[in-house]
Amino acid sequence: MKLGLATAIASLGQDGDMDSLCAACAAAGIDASIVAWDDPTVSWARFDAVLLRSPWDYMDRLPAFLAWCDRVATLTRLWNPPEVVRWNTDKRYLGDLAARGVPVIESHYLAPGDDPATLPDLAEFVVKPCVGAGSRDAQRYLREDRDAAIAHARRLLDAGRHVLVQPYLHAVDSDGETALLFFEGRFSHAIRKAALLRRGQQPTRALFNQDYLRPREPSAAELAVAEKVLATLPFGPLTYARVDLLPSAEGPKLLELEVTEPSLFLPYAEGAATRFAATLRTRLTTLLASNP
């Protein structure tokens, strides 16, 4: 069983899941190799499957990354597959999920050519690009900072990027964000992430705050919302998924569904790496049996 763990040249050594995952794969009898998606010397056909893990530069060259996903999928099996990646790498997917009845944080979108001055009138809000990772190029504003927010949105729009505007949910400052991890559609573990966006700070390029990651037991309401999110997807059970929820007065709401290259926080939950490796072994065994 040969598995490629796809990162990026720029991300080598930055993926906190890799050591745990490689050890768990070895114990499960999987020959796993860390390879960069943008390394032209890699022969992708030598792997039985390729698992997207940390290609964290894709937002800067999305067309090339999507073309790579399509090409690799013709040579071997890509997890998660290209159609999932293409949909999930643009946060306008949140509109799709909201239309299917998922409780999503209120979302407003601006496209290149739109007037940034039409962004909604909110007491406190976040401006971010629709294609981006973590909190990169995202910033938190108050109503009185509207001119600065418009200028931020204009910079993104002028660069040809779509923009997402959402109200800032203050409960995250005290309760944090809950990330629920699923393998093959089954809940594995959850992590608490502290708020990263600070009022008045410039846009950050951080993915998350390493100092404030803690294991968390999700509430029944959080688990129910996360399961509803996954149940609405037309893709079938995915090898991995991370559902990021924020607390609100109406209950948990979806911030993001991460099914392209999420951190899985394997070192923070006992047995998580082993469970994920077992999922991968089952998938590989089924794949190889169907393609002797």
Side-chain angles (χ1 to χ4, degrees), residues 148-285:
I150 290 172
H152 180 188
R154 180 175 288 112
R155 286 193 299 273
L156 295 173
L157 294 170
D158 287 349
R161 305 175 77 180
H162 290 254
V163 173
L164 171 62
V165 182
Q166 295 175 313
Y168 187 82
L169 302 186
H170 292 93
V172 70
D173 291 333
S174 56
D175 298 340
E177 176 184 334
T178 300
L180 296 92
L181 286 304
F182 291 80
F183 303 144
E184 200 70 29
R186 294 183 293 273
F187 174 69
S188 169
H189 59 287
I191 295 296
R192 178 192 186 276
K193 297 192 290 178
L196 186 60
L197 292 178
R198 302 297 179 187
R199 188 181 294 169
Q201 284 186 346
Q202 291 300 306
T204 175
R205 294 191 62 80
L207 289 170
F208 45 81
N209 194 326
Q210 290 275 12
D211 294 333
Y212 294 96
L213 295 174
R214 300 287 186 273
R216 167 174 274 183
E217 187 68 29
S219 67
E222 288 172 331
L223 191 56
V225 169
E227 290 175 342
K228 181 174 184 176
V229 171
L230 298 183
T232 67
L233 300 182
F235 307 113
L238 298 175
T239 309
Y240 54 85
R242 196 182 88 202
V243 183
D244 292 346
L245 303 177
L246 292 183
S248 79
E250 296 81 29
K253 290 194 174 184
L254 179 67
L255 174 65
E256 289 193 46
L257 169 64
E258 300 270 12
V259 291
T260 298
E261 34 58 72
S263 293
L264 301 175
F265 307 119
L266 300 178
Y268 293 87
E270 185 176 355
T274 299
R275 288 191 293 274
F276 191 36
T279 296
L280 296 172
R281 180 177 175 84
T282 298
R283 277 217 166 206
L284 285 165
T285 299

